[in-house]
Amino acid sequence: MEYMQVVIGILISAILSENFILVKFYGICPFMGVSKKTDTAIGMGMAVTFVMAIASAACWFVDAKILQPLNLGYMQTVAFILVIASIVQFVEMFLKKFVPALYQALGIFLPLITTNCAVLGVALVNVQKGYDFLQSVINGAAGGLGFTLAIVLFASIRERVDKTDCPECFKGFPIALISAGLMALAFMGFSGLKIF
Amino acid sequence: MTAILTAIGILGALGLIFGLVLAIASKVFYVETDPRLDLLNECLPGANCGGCGYAGCGGYAEAVLKGEAPIGKCASGGNDCAMKMAEIMGVKAEKVERRVAMVRCSGYKTTDAEGNIVGGKLKGEYEGISDCLAASKVAGRGPTACKFGCLGFGNCVKACQYGAISIKDGVAVVDEEKCIGCLACAAACPRQLIVPVSPAQNVVIACASLAKGAATTRSCTVGCIGCGKCKKTCQHDAIILEKNLARIDYTKCVNCGDCAKVCPKGLIKDSNVEHLPEVTAEA
């Protein structure tokens, strides 16, 4: 029972109070770059969720079964980059061959995720917080959902902002950065949510 | 020292294993793609204008490869592109017809020397979002007195990748020299005012007002009032008068231009499309 509580706590905090983008500021570049249209934002969000969950699982294995027994904890970052890059490549090839429909939907986003710091971030956070395998995967998936939530909300805000009559000097990217800042401010409100 | 060596060894081994797995996977999961697809993509202009009705040039190339789409749908690539594609696919190309867009509104907001309004009138000032769709959604359907005419906020201008459309005195105007007929502007117009013309279908009635004659006259000095003069003049029975608006039946129209001479408002226009050079793909 207590385990369930911890799991639910991870789920909620990863999505809201410790949102990877708007609270921790990981993965800002796809957040700014792929958020012009809601459709593509949803695609990107789905791809990130998928990769974060898989990367959490793989990195947990590499960390717990290879690095920790050999006292190589300080090589985590390097090893995780290696693992994530290979996994993304592998997943891309696998999808292209066996699930073409999913490849069509996620395909163009997958290479973009290879070096996304939200993915590396989730792997490192899992280790820092000492999560076990299941908790790591849940943290990864929930972190991805939080990413999706943030990027989809942001894309719909940007779609509307593009249509408004905003001052010339703020048009385009500047106003997007300001909107992102305001959104981050709003998400900071969730930090009051202390569950466990 | 051993610590460094283990670190190097383990990471090197990890890298080697992953590399091998990827190398094997790339062989095992190799998906054969038709080499013609790349060739087709190469000869398309890559503008992704969507004029062919597919999602970008890649989508059209795939459809052509599957035999779902005919060759010669690419307006911006023109004949050169169609010929090359036909060569790749091993079929004969059909000639790409030169098309240009025309705007079915003549209500330029201008005044004559005495200050009288000539053309479309405005019924109010619109200060909202500068966007045709947004303006057409406000109560009263936008700032123009005419409910059917061009709003002039330039959604078509934004949609055009070729800089071929601009707003002149509150109405969109197509630069026929630059227009390649992709009709991205037509899709962007909330009032469906933009239509294609080709050398064979060259005459357009440049008004879309479905209001009754008196109402049309109140809102615009150059609106079609449905008088029917053009219908009577046409010897080929090609003009249809429907809902207070004359319309051309292009299956019967022979491009004689007789109707244009009698229109009291001078609304029937023809484009210069037959004199324009064929579109050729950009090098």
Side-chain angles (χ1 to χ4, degrees), chain A residues 70-95:
Chain A
L70 292 163
N71 284 326
L72 286 174
Y74 58 92
M75 293 305 280
Q76 271 162 5
T77 314
V78 182
F80 288 174
I81 291 175
L82 199 65
V83 172
I84 292 166
S86 322
I87 281 196
V88 173
Q89 284 291 314
F90 186 81
V91 166
E92 196 186 348
M93 283 189 256
F94 181 84
L95 288 183

mmCIF file with all atom_site columns, all heavy atoms in Angstrom, chain A residues 70-95:
data_model
loop_
_atom_site.group_PDB
_atom_site.id
_atom_site.type_symbol
_atom_site.label_atom_id
_atom_site.label_alt_id
_atom_site.label_comp_id
_atom_site.label_asym_id
_atom_site.label_entity_id
_atom_site.label_seq_id
_atom_site.pdbx_PDB_ins_code
_atom_site.Cartn_x
_atom_site.Cartn_y
_atom_site.Cartn_z
_atom_site.occupancy
_atom_site.B_iso_or_equiv
_atom_site.pdbx_formal_charge
_atom_site.auth_seq_id
_atom_site.auth_comp_id
_atom_site.auth_asym_id
_atom_site.auth_atom_id
_atom_site.pdbx_PDB_model_num
ATOM 1   N N   . LEU A 1 70 ? 30.491 -1.781 -10.104 1.00 0.00 ? 70 LEU A N   1
ATOM 2   C CA  . LEU A 1 70 ? 31.895 -1.508 -10.390 1.00 0.00 ? 70 LEU A CA  1
ATOM 3   C C   . LEU A 1 70 ? 32.359 -0.169 -9.838  1.00 0.00 ? 70 LEU A C   1
ATOM 4   O O   . LEU A 1 70 ? 33.441 0.311  -10.176 1.00 0.00 ? 70 LEU A O   1
ATOM 5   C CB  . LEU A 1 70 ? 32.116 -1.537 -11.908 1.00 0.00 ? 70 LEU A CB  1
ATOM 6   C CG  . LEU A 1 70 ? 31.969 -2.918 -12.566 1.00 0.00 ? 70 LEU A CG  1
ATOM 7   C CD1 . LEU A 1 70 ? 31.793 -2.784 -14.050 1.00 0.00 ? 70 LEU A CD1 1
ATOM 8   C CD2 . LEU A 1 70 ? 33.175 -3.782 -12.232 1.00 0.00 ? 70 LEU A CD2 1
ATOM 9   N N   . ASN A 1 71 ? 31.501 0.460  -9.028  1.00 0.00 ? 71 ASN A N   1
ATOM 10  C CA  . ASN A 1 71 ? 31.825 1.777  -8.462  1.00 0.00 ? 71 ASN A CA  1
ATOM 11  C C   . ASN A 1 71 ? 32.124 2.831  -9.521  1.00 0.00 ? 71 ASN A C   1
ATOM 12  O O   . ASN A 1 71 ? 33.054 3.617  -9.401  1.00 0.00 ? 71 ASN A O   1
ATOM 13  C CB  . ASN A 1 71 ? 33.022 1.680  -7.508  1.00 0.00 ? 71 ASN A CB  1
ATOM 14  C CG  . ASN A 1 71 ? 32.590 1.059  -6.202  1.00 0.00 ? 71 ASN A CG  1
ATOM 15  O OD1 . ASN A 1 71 ? 31.457 1.282  -5.765  1.00 0.00 ? 71 ASN A OD1 1
ATOM 16  N ND2 . ASN A 1 71 ? 33.471 0.284  -5.624  1.00 0.00 ? 71 ASN A ND2 1
ATOM 17  N N   . LEU A 1 72 ? 31.351 2.797  -10.594 1.00 0.00 ? 72 LEU A N   1
ATOM 18  C CA  . LEU A 1 72 ? 31.586 3.747  -11.671 1.00 0.00 ? 72 LEU A CA  1
ATOM 19  C C   . LEU A 1 72 ? 30.473 4.800  -11.731 1.00 0.00 ? 72 LEU A C   1
ATOM 20  O O   . LEU A 1 72 ? 30.158 5.318  -12.803 1.00 0.00 ? 72 LEU A O   1
ATOM 21  C CB  . LEU A 1 72 ? 31.680 3.024  -13.020 1.00 0.00 ? 72 LEU A CB  1
ATOM 22  C CG  . LEU A 1 72 ? 32.959 2.245  -13.283 1.00 0.00 ? 72 LEU A CG  1
ATOM 23  C CD1 . LEU A 1 72 ? 32.846 1.466  -14.577 1.00 0.00 ? 72 LEU A CD1 1
ATOM 24  C CD2 . LEU A 1 72 ? 34.150 3.175  -13.322 1.00 0.00 ? 72 LEU A CD2 1
ATOM 25  N N   . GLY A 1 73 ? 29.872 5.075  -10.574 1.00 0.00 ? 73 GLY A N   1
ATOM 26  C CA  . GLY A 1 73 ? 28.740 6.011  -10.535 1.00 0.00 ? 73 GLY A CA  1
ATOM 27  C C   . GLY A 1 73 ? 29.050 7.351  -11.182 1.00 0.00 ? 73 GLY A C   1
ATOM 28  O O   . GLY A 1 73 ? 28.168 7.985  -11.770 1.00 0.00 ? 73 GLY A O   1
ATOM 29  N N   . TYR A 1 74 ? 30.314 7.766  -11.090 1.00 0.00 ? 74 TYR A N   1
ATOM 30  C CA  . TYR A 1 74 ? 30.660 9.087  -11.645 1.00 0.00 ? 74 TYR A CA  1
ATOM 31  C C   . TYR A 1 74 ? 30.627 9.108  -13.163 1.00 0.00 ? 74 TYR A C   1
ATOM 32  O O   . TYR A 1 74 ? 30.705 10.162 -13.775 1.00 0.00 ? 74 TYR A O   1
ATOM 33  C CB  . TYR A 1 74 ? 32.044 9.520  -11.150 1.00 0.00 ? 74 TYR A CB  1
ATOM 34  C CG  . TYR A 1 74 ? 33.156 8.555  -11.498 1.00 0.00 ? 74 TYR A CG  1
ATOM 35  C CD1 . TYR A 1 74 ? 33.880 8.723  -12.668 1.00 0.00 ? 74 TYR A CD1 1
ATOM 36  C CD2 . TYR A 1 74 ? 33.476 7.493  -10.659 1.00 0.00 ? 74 TYR A CD2 1
ATOM 37  C CE1 . TYR A 1 74 ? 34.877 7.849  -13.009 1.00 0.00 ? 74 TYR A CE1 1
ATOM 38  C CE2 . TYR A 1 74 ? 34.463 6.603  -10.991 1.00 0.00 ? 74 TYR A CE2 1
ATOM 39  C CZ  . TYR A 1 74 ? 35.175 6.781  -12.166 1.00 0.00 ? 74 TYR A CZ  1
ATOM 40  O OH  . TYR A 1 74 ? 36.161 5.902  -12.506 1.00 0.00 ? 74 TYR A OH  1
ATOM 41  N N   . MET A 1 75 ? 30.506 7.947  -13.816 1.00 0.00 ? 75 MET A N   1
ATOM 42  C CA  . MET A 1 75 ? 30.431 7.909  -15.275 1.00 0.00 ? 75 MET A CA  1
ATOM 43  C C   . MET A 1 75 ? 28.994 7.897  -15.788 1.00 0.00 ? 75 MET A C   1
ATOM 44  O O   . MET A 1 75 ? 28.755 7.721  -16.988 1.00 0.00 ? 75 MET A O   1
ATOM 45  C CB  . MET A 1 75 ? 31.163 6.666  -15.815 1.00 0.00 ? 75 MET A CB  1
ATOM 46  C CG  . MET A 1 75 ? 32.645 6.675  -15.606 1.00 0.00 ? 75 MET A CG  1
ATOM 47  S SD  . MET A 1 75 ? 33.436 8.134  -16.273 1.00 0.00 ? 75 MET A SD  1
ATOM 48  C CE  . MET A 1 75 ? 33.524 7.704  -17.989 1.00 0.00 ? 75 MET A CE  1
ATOM 49  N N   . GLN A 1 76 ? 28.047 8.089  -14.856 1.00 0.00 ? 76 GLN A N   1
ATOM 50  C CA  . GLN A 1 76 ? 26.634 8.013  -15.228 1.00 0.00 ? 76 GLN A CA  1
ATOM 51  C C   . GLN A 1 76 ? 26.290 8.838  -16.461 1.00 0.00 ? 76 GLN A C   1
ATOM 52  O O   . GLN A 1 76 ? 25.706 8.338  -17.422 1.00 0.00 ? 76 GLN A O   1
ATOM 53  C CB  . GLN A 1 76 ? 25.772 8.529  -14.073 1.00 0.00 ? 76 GLN A CB  1
ATOM 54  C CG  . GLN A 1 76 ? 25.381 7.461  -13.086 1.00 0.00 ? 76 GLN A CG  1
ATOM 55  C CD  . GLN A 1 76 ? 24.926 8.085  -11.789 1.00 0.00 ? 76 GLN A CD  1
ATOM 56  O OE1 . GLN A 1 76 ? 24.826 9.307  -11.679 1.00 0.00 ? 76 GLN A OE1 1
ATOM 57  N NE2 . GLN A 1 76 ? 24.635 7.263  -10.815 1.00 0.00 ? 76 GLN A NE2 1
ATOM 58  N N   . THR A 1 77 ? 26.653 10.125 -16.420 1.00 0.00 ? 77 THR A N   1
ATOM 59  C CA  . THR A 1 77 ? 26.230 11.024 -17.491 1.00 0.00 ? 77 THR A CA  1
ATOM 60  C C   . THR A 1 77 ? 26.689 10.514 -18.856 1.00 0.00 ? 77 THR A C   1
ATOM 61  O O   . THR A 1 77 ? 25.904 10.409 -19.796 1.00 0.00 ? 77 THR A O   1
ATOM 62  C CB  . THR A 1 77 ? 26.784 12.435 -17.253 1.00 0.00 ? 77 THR A CB  1
ATOM 63  O OG1 . THR A 1 77 ? 26.556 12.758 -15.892 1.00 0.00 ? 77 THR A OG1 1
ATOM 64  C CG2 . THR A 1 77 ? 26.097 13.442 -18.130 1.00 0.00 ? 77 THR A CG2 1
ATOM 65  N N   . VAL A 1 78 ? 27.976 10.137 -18.915 1.00 0.00 ? 78 VAL A N   1
ATOM 66  C CA  . VAL A 1 78 ? 28.529 9.669  -20.185 1.00 0.00 ? 78 VAL A CA  1
ATOM 67  C C   . VAL A 1 78 ? 27.816 8.392  -20.625 1.00 0.00 ? 78 VAL A C   1
ATOM 68  O O   . VAL A 1 78 ? 27.382 8.253  -21.784 1.00 0.00 ? 78 VAL A O   1
ATOM 69  C CB  . VAL A 1 78 ? 30.041 9.424  -20.058 1.00 0.00 ? 78 VAL A CB  1
ATOM 70  C CG1 . VAL A 1 78 ? 30.609 8.994  -21.387 1.00 0.00 ? 78 VAL A CG1 1
ATOM 71  C CG2 . VAL A 1 78 ? 30.728 10.673 -19.561 1.00 0.00 ? 78 VAL A CG2 1
ATOM 72  N N   . ALA A 1 79 ? 27.692 7.467  -19.681 1.00 0.00 ? 79 ALA A N   1
ATOM 73  C CA  . ALA A 1 79 ? 27.087 6.180  -20.022 1.00 0.00 ? 79 ALA A CA  1
ATOM 74  C C   . ALA A 1 79 ? 25.636 6.373  -20.469 1.00 0.00 ? 79 ALA A C   1
ATOM 75  O O   . ALA A 1 79 ? 25.179 5.745  -21.429 1.00 0.00 ? 79 ALA A O   1
ATOM 76  C CB  . ALA A 1 79 ? 27.150 5.247  -18.809 1.00 0.00 ? 79 ALA A CB  1
ATOM 77  N N   . PHE A 1 80 ? 24.923 7.257  -19.774 1.00 0.00 ? 80 PHE A N   1
ATOM 78  C CA  . PHE A 1 80 ? 23.508 7.451  -20.108 1.00 0.00 ? 80 PHE A CA  1
ATOM 79  C C   . PHE A 1 80 ? 23.343 8.061  -21.503 1.00 0.00 ? 80 PHE A C   1
ATOM 80  O O   . PHE A 1 80 ? 22.439 7.688  -22.246 1.00 0.00 ? 80 PHE A O   1
ATOM 81  C CB  . PHE A 1 80 ? 22.821 8.335  -19.068 1.00 0.00 ? 80 PHE A CB  1
ATOM 82  C CG  . PHE A 1 80 ? 22.599 7.650  -17.745 1.00 0.00 ? 80 PHE A CG  1
ATOM 83  C CD1 . PHE A 1 80 ? 22.094 8.340  -16.660 1.00 0.00 ? 80 PHE A CD1 1
ATOM 84  C CD2 . PHE A 1 80 ? 22.886 6.299  -17.598 1.00 0.00 ? 80 PHE A CD2 1
ATOM 85  C CE1 . PHE A 1 80 ? 21.895 7.707  -15.451 1.00 0.00 ? 80 PHE A CE1 1
ATOM 86  C CE2 . PHE A 1 80 ? 22.693 5.656  -16.389 1.00 0.00 ? 80 PHE A CE2 1
ATOM 87  C CZ  . PHE A 1 80 ? 22.193 6.358  -15.309 1.00 0.00 ? 80 PHE A CZ  1
ATOM 88  N N   . ILE A 1 81 ? 24.228 9.001  -21.835 1.00 0.00 ? 81 ILE A N   1
ATOM 89  C CA  . ILE A 1 81 ? 24.138 9.586  -23.180 1.00 0.00 ? 81 ILE A CA  1
ATOM 90  C C   . ILE A 1 81 ? 24.293 8.492  -24.230 1.00 0.00 ? 81 ILE A C   1
ATOM 91  O O   . ILE A 1 81 ? 23.536 8.398  -25.194 1.00 0.00 ? 81 ILE A O   1
ATOM 92  C CB  . ILE A 1 81 ? 25.223 10.681 -23.379 1.00 0.00 ? 81 ILE A CB  1
ATOM 93  C CG1 . ILE A 1 81 ? 24.907 11.888 -22.519 1.00 0.00 ? 81 ILE A CG1 1
ATOM 94  C CG2 . ILE A 1 81 ? 25.319 11.086 -24.840 1.00 0.00 ? 81 ILE A CG2 1
ATOM 95  C CD1 . ILE A 1 81 ? 25.965 12.964 -22.553 1.00 0.00 ? 81 ILE A CD1 1
ATOM 96  N N   . LEU A 1 82 ? 25.270 7.621  -23.978 1.00 0.00 ? 82 LEU A N   1
ATOM 97  C CA  . LEU A 1 82 ? 25.529 6.507  -24.885 1.00 0.00 ? 82 LEU A CA  1
ATOM 98  C C   . LEU A 1 82 ? 24.285 5.628  -25.027 1.00 0.00 ? 82 LEU A C   1
ATOM 99  O O   . LEU A 1 82 ? 23.827 5.305  -26.128 1.00 0.00 ? 82 LEU A O   1
ATOM 100 C CB  . LEU A 1 82 ? 26.694 5.698  -24.309 1.00 0.00 ? 82 LEU A CB  1
ATOM 101 C CG  . LEU A 1 82 ? 27.449 4.770  -25.228 1.00 0.00 ? 82 LEU A CG  1
ATOM 102 C CD1 . LEU A 1 82 ? 28.146 5.587  -26.281 1.00 0.00 ? 82 LEU A CD1 1
ATOM 103 C CD2 . LEU A 1 82 ? 28.446 3.965  -24.423 1.00 0.00 ? 82 LEU A CD2 1
ATOM 104 N N   . VAL A 1 83 ? 23.714 5.285  -23.866 1.00 0.00 ? 83 VAL A N   1
ATOM 105 C CA  . VAL A 1 83 ? 22.552 4.391  -23.857 1.00 0.00 ? 83 VAL A CA  1
ATOM 106 C C   . VAL A 1 83 ? 21.382 5.035  -24.590 1.00 0.00 ? 83 VAL A C   1
ATOM 107 O O   . VAL A 1 83 ? 20.741 4.421  -25.457 1.00 0.00 ? 83 VAL A O   1
ATOM 108 C CB  . VAL A 1 83 ? 22.149 4.067  -22.403 1.00 0.00 ? 83 VAL A CB  1
ATOM 109 C CG1 . VAL A 1 83 ? 20.843 3.302  -22.380 1.00 0.00 ? 83 VAL A CG1 1
ATOM 110 C CG2 . VAL A 1 83 ? 23.243 3.282  -21.724 1.00 0.00 ? 83 VAL A CG2 1
ATOM 111 N N   . ILE A 1 84 ? 21.121 6.310  -24.260 1.00 0.00 ? 84 ILE A N   1
ATOM 112 C CA  . ILE A 1 84 ? 19.944 6.972  -24.836 1.00 0.00 ? 84 ILE A CA  1
ATOM 113 C C   . ILE A 1 84 ? 20.083 7.108  -26.344 1.00 0.00 ? 84 ILE A C   1
ATOM 114 O O   . ILE A 1 84 ? 19.165 6.792  -27.099 1.00 0.00 ? 84 ILE A O   1
ATOM 115 C CB  . ILE A 1 84 ? 19.726 8.349  -24.178 1.00 0.00 ? 84 ILE A CB  1
ATOM 116 C CG1 . ILE A 1 84 ? 19.318 8.164  -22.717 1.00 0.00 ? 84 ILE A CG1 1
ATOM 117 C CG2 . ILE A 1 84 ? 18.644 9.124  -24.916 1.00 0.00 ? 84 ILE A CG2 1
ATOM 118 C CD1 . ILE A 1 84 ? 19.394 9.428  -21.906 1.00 0.00 ? 84 ILE A CD1 1
ATOM 119 N N   . ALA A 1 85 ? 21.269 7.540  -26.788 1.00 0.00 ? 85 ALA A N   1
ATOM 120 C CA  . ALA A 1 85 ? 21.453 7.723  -28.225 1.00 0.00 ? 85 ALA A CA  1
ATOM 121 C C   . ALA A 1 85 ? 21.250 6.414  -28.972 1.00 0.00 ? 85 ALA A C   1
ATOM 122 O O   . ALA A 1 85 ? 20.569 6.365  -29.998 1.00 0.00 ? 85 ALA A O   1
ATOM 123 C CB  . ALA A 1 85 ? 22.845 8.285  -28.505 1.00 0.00 ? 85 ALA A CB  1
ATOM 124 N N   . SER A 1 86 ? 21.824 5.333  -28.421 1.00 0.00 ? 86 SER A N   1
ATOM 125 C CA  . SER A 1 86 ? 21.675 4.046  -29.101 1.00 0.00 ? 86 SER A CA  1
ATOM 126 C C   . SER A 1 86 ? 20.215 3.602  -29.102 1.00 0.00 ? 86 SER A C   1
ATOM 127 O O   . SER A 1 86 ? 19.707 3.100  -30.104 1.00 0.00 ? 86 SER A O   1
ATOM 128 C CB  . SER A 1 86 ? 22.504 2.960  -28.424 1.00 0.00 ? 86 SER A CB  1
ATOM 129 O OG  . SER A 1 86 ? 23.707 3.481  -27.991 1.00 0.00 ? 86 SER A OG  1
ATOM 130 N N   . ILE A 1 87 ? 19.567 3.780  -27.955 1.00 0.00 ? 87 ILE A N   1
ATOM 131 C CA  . ILE A 1 87 ? 18.181 3.326  -27.862 1.00 0.00 ? 87 ILE A CA  1
ATOM 132 C C   . ILE A 1 87 ? 17.285 4.053  -28.847 1.00 0.00 ? 87 ILE A C   1
ATOM 133 O O   . ILE A 1 87 ? 16.459 3.438  -29.526 1.00 0.00 ? 87 ILE A O   1
ATOM 134 C CB  . ILE A 1 87 ? 17.659 3.536  -26.427 1.00 0.00 ? 87 ILE A CB  1
ATOM 135 C CG1 . ILE A 1 87 ? 18.188 2.413  -25.562 1.00 0.00 ? 87 ILE A CG1 1
ATOM 136 C CG2 . ILE A 1 87 ? 16.151 3.547  -26.393 1.00 0.00 ? 87 ILE A CG2 1
ATOM 137 C CD1 . ILE A 1 87 ? 17.472 2.282  -24.296 1.00 0.00 ? 87 ILE A CD1 1
ATOM 138 N N   . VAL A 1 88 ? 17.464 5.363  -28.945 1.00 0.00 ? 88 VAL A N   1
ATOM 139 C CA  . VAL A 1 88 ? 16.616 6.117  -29.863 1.00 0.00 ? 88 VAL A CA  1
ATOM 140 C C   . VAL A 1 88 ? 16.820 5.629  -31.286 1.00 0.00 ? 88 VAL A C   1
ATOM 141 O O   . VAL A 1 88 ? 15.873 5.398  -32.030 1.00 0.00 ? 88 VAL A O   1
ATOM 142 C CB  . VAL A 1 88 ? 16.893 7.631  -29.747 1.00 0.00 ? 88 VAL A CB  1
ATOM 143 C CG1 . VAL A 1 88 ? 16.129 8.383  -30.815 1.00 0.00 ? 88 VAL A CG1 1
ATOM 144 C CG2 . VAL A 1 88 ? 16.477 8.138  -28.384 1.00 0.00 ? 88 VAL A CG2 1
ATOM 145 N N   . GLN A 1 89 ? 18.077 5.418  -31.652 1.00 0.00 ? 89 GLN A N   1
ATOM 146 C CA  . GLN A 1 89 ? 18.374 4.898  -32.989 1.00 0.00 ? 89 GLN A CA  1
ATOM 147 C C   . GLN A 1 89 ? 17.710 3.552  -33.208 1.00 0.00 ? 89 GLN A C   1
ATOM 148 O O   . GLN A 1 89 ? 17.085 3.297  -34.238 1.00 0.00 ? 89 GLN A O   1
ATOM 149 C CB  . GLN A 1 89 ? 19.898 4.719  -33.146 1.00 0.00 ? 89 GLN A CB  1
ATOM 150 C CG  . GLN A 1 89 ? 20.639 6.011  -33.354 1.00 0.00 ? 89 GLN A CG  1
ATOM 151 C CD  . GLN A 1 89 ? 20.321 6.618  -34.693 1.00 0.00 ? 89 GLN A CD  1
ATOM 152 O OE1 . GLN A 1 89 ? 20.321 5.924  -35.700 1.00 0.00 ? 89 GLN A OE1 1
ATOM 153 N NE2 . GLN A 1 89 ? 20.003 7.889  -34.719 1.00 0.00 ? 89 GLN A NE2 1
ATOM 154 N N   . PHE A 1 90 ? 17.854 2.711  -32.206 1.00 0.00 ? 90 PHE A N   1
ATOM 155 C CA  . PHE A 1 90 ? 17.316 1.356  -32.310 1.00 0.00 ? 90 PHE A CA  1
ATOM 156 C C   . PHE A 1 90 ? 15.797 1.379  -32.443 1.00 0.00 ? 90 PHE A C   1
ATOM 157 O O   . PHE A 1 90 ? 15.212 0.732  -33.302 1.00 0.00 ? 90 PHE A O   1
ATOM 158 C CB  . PHE A 1 90 ? 17.734 0.548  -31.068 1.00 0.00 ? 90 PHE A CB  1
ATOM 159 C CG  . PHE A 1 90 ? 17.357 -0.896 -31.145 1.00 0.00 ? 90 PHE A CG  1
ATOM 160 C CD1 . PHE A 1 90 ? 18.151 -1.785 -31.855 1.00 0.00 ? 90 PHE A CD1 1
ATOM 161 C CD2 . PHE A 1 90 ? 16.212 -1.362 -30.524 1.00 0.00 ? 90 PHE A CD2 1
ATOM 162 C CE1 . PHE A 1 90 ? 17.795 -3.118 -31.942 1.00 0.00 ? 90 PHE A CE1 1
ATOM 163 C CE2 . PHE A 1 90 ? 15.860 -2.696 -30.611 1.00 0.00 ? 90 PHE A CE2 1
ATOM 164 C CZ  . PHE A 1 90 ? 16.654 -3.577 -31.321 1.00 0.00 ? 90 PHE A CZ  1
ATOM 165 N N   . VAL A 1 91 ? 15.182 2.190  -31.572 1.00 0.00 ? 91 VAL A N   1
ATOM 166 C CA  . VAL A 1 91 ? 13.719 2.283  -31.593 1.00 0.00 ? 91 VAL A CA  1
ATOM 167 C C   . VAL A 1 91 ? 13.238 2.793  -32.954 1.00 0.00 ? 91 VAL A C   1
ATOM 168 O O   . VAL A 1 91 ? 12.266 2.298  -33.514 1.00 0.00 ? 91 VAL A O   1
ATOM 169 C CB  . VAL A 1 91 ? 13.223 3.211  -30.462 1.00 0.00 ? 91 VAL A CB  1
ATOM 170 C CG1 . VAL A 1 91 ? 11.769 3.597  -30.671 1.00 0.00 ? 91 VAL A CG1 1
ATOM 171 C CG2 . VAL A 1 91 ? 13.387 2.529  -29.127 1.00 0.00 ? 91 VAL A CG2 1
ATOM 172 N N   . GLU A 1 92 ? 13.973 3.763  -33.503 1.00 0.00 ? 92 GLU A N   1
ATOM 173 C CA  . GLU A 1 92 ? 13.579 4.308  -34.796 1.00 0.00 ? 92 GLU A CA  1
ATOM 174 C C   . GLU A 1 92 ? 13.594 3.225  -35.872 1.00 0.00 ? 92 GLU A C   1
ATOM 175 O O   . GLU A 1 92 ? 12.653 3.078  -36.646 1.00 0.00 ? 92 GLU A O   1
ATOM 176 C CB  . GLU A 1 92 ? 14.526 5.454  -35.177 1.00 0.00 ? 92 GLU A CB  1
ATOM 177 C CG  . GLU A 1 92 ? 13.954 6.304  -36.278 1.00 0.00 ? 92 GLU A CG  1
ATOM 178 C CD  . GLU A 1 92 ? 14.929 7.351  -36.778 1.00 0.00 ? 92 GLU A CD  1
ATOM 179 O OE1 . GLU A 1 92 ? 15.960 7.565  -36.133 1.00 0.00 ? 92 GLU A OE1 1
ATOM 180 O OE2 . GLU A 1 92 ? 14.639 7.936  -37.824 1.00 0.00 ? 92 GLU A OE2 1
ATOM 181 N N   . MET A 1 93 ? 14.666 2.433  -35.882 1.00 0.00 ? 93 MET A N   1
ATOM 182 C CA  . MET A 1 93 ? 14.764 1.369  -36.881 1.00 0.00 ? 93 MET A CA  1
ATOM 183 C C   . MET A 1 93 ? 13.675 0.323  -36.667 1.00 0.00 ? 93 MET A C   1
ATOM 184 O O   . MET A 1 93 ? 13.044 -0.147 -37.608 1.00 0.00 ? 93 MET A O   1
ATOM 185 C CB  . MET A 1 93 ? 16.134 0.705  -36.796 1.00 0.00 ? 93 MET A CB  1
ATOM 186 C CG  . MET A 1 93 ? 17.236 1.520  -37.426 1.00 0.00 ? 93 MET A CG  1
ATOM 187 S SD  . MET A 1 93 ? 18.722 0.553  -37.519 1.00 0.00 ? 93 MET A SD  1
ATOM 188 C CE  . MET A 1 93 ? 19.679 1.230  -36.216 1.00 0.00 ? 93 MET A CE  1
ATOM 189 N N   . PHE A 1 94 ? 13.466 -0.010 -35.386 1.00 0.00 ? 94 PHE A N   1
ATOM 190 C CA  . PHE A 1 94 ? 12.474 -1.028 -35.054 1.00 0.00 ? 94 PHE A CA  1
ATOM 191 C C   . PHE A 1 94 ? 11.089 -0.591 -35.518 1.00 0.00 ? 94 PHE A C   1
ATOM 192 O O   . PHE A 1 94 ? 10.352 -1.354 -36.147 1.00 0.00 ? 94 PHE A O   1
ATOM 193 C CB  . PHE A 1 94 ? 12.489 -1.245 -33.533 1.00 0.00 ? 94 PHE A CB  1
ATOM 194 C CG  . PHE A 1 94 ? 11.526 -2.294 -33.066 1.00 0.00 ? 94 PHE A CG  1
ATOM 195 C CD1 . PHE A 1 94 ? 11.890 -3.635 -33.087 1.00 0.00 ? 94 PHE A CD1 1
ATOM 196 C CD2 . PHE A 1 94 ? 10.266 -1.942 -32.607 1.00 0.00 ? 94 PHE A CD2 1
ATOM 197 C CE1 . PHE A 1 94 ? 10.999 -4.599 -32.670 1.00 0.00 ? 94 PHE A CE1 1
ATOM 198 C CE2 . PHE A 1 94 ? 9.378  -2.914 -32.180 1.00 0.00 ? 94 PHE A CE2 1
ATOM 199 C CZ  . PHE A 1 94 ? 9.746  -4.252 -32.218 1.00 0.00 ? 94 PHE A CZ  1
ATOM 200 N N   . LEU A 1 95 ? 10.747 0.654  -35.210 1.00 0.00 ? 95 LEU A N   1
ATOM 201 C CA  . LEU A 1 95 ? 9.422  1.150  -35.578 1.00 0.00 ? 95 LEU A CA  1
ATOM 202 C C   . LEU A 1 95 ? 9.267  1.175  -37.093 1.00 0.00 ? 95 LEU A C   1
ATOM 203 O O   . LEU A 1 95 ? 8.215  0.822  -37.626 1.00 0.00 ? 95 LEU A O   1
ATOM 204 C CB  . LEU A 1 95 ? 9.198  2.559  -35.027 1.00 0.00 ? 95 LEU A CB  1
ATOM 205 C CG  . LEU A 1 95 ? 8.990  2.678  -33.533 1.00 0.00 ? 95 LEU A CG  1
ATOM 206 C CD1 . LEU A 1 95 ? 8.708  4.111  -33.165 1.00 0.00 ? 95 LEU A CD1 1
ATOM 207 C CD2 . LEU A 1 95 ? 7.858  1.793  -33.062 1.00 0.00 ? 95 LEU A CD2 1
#
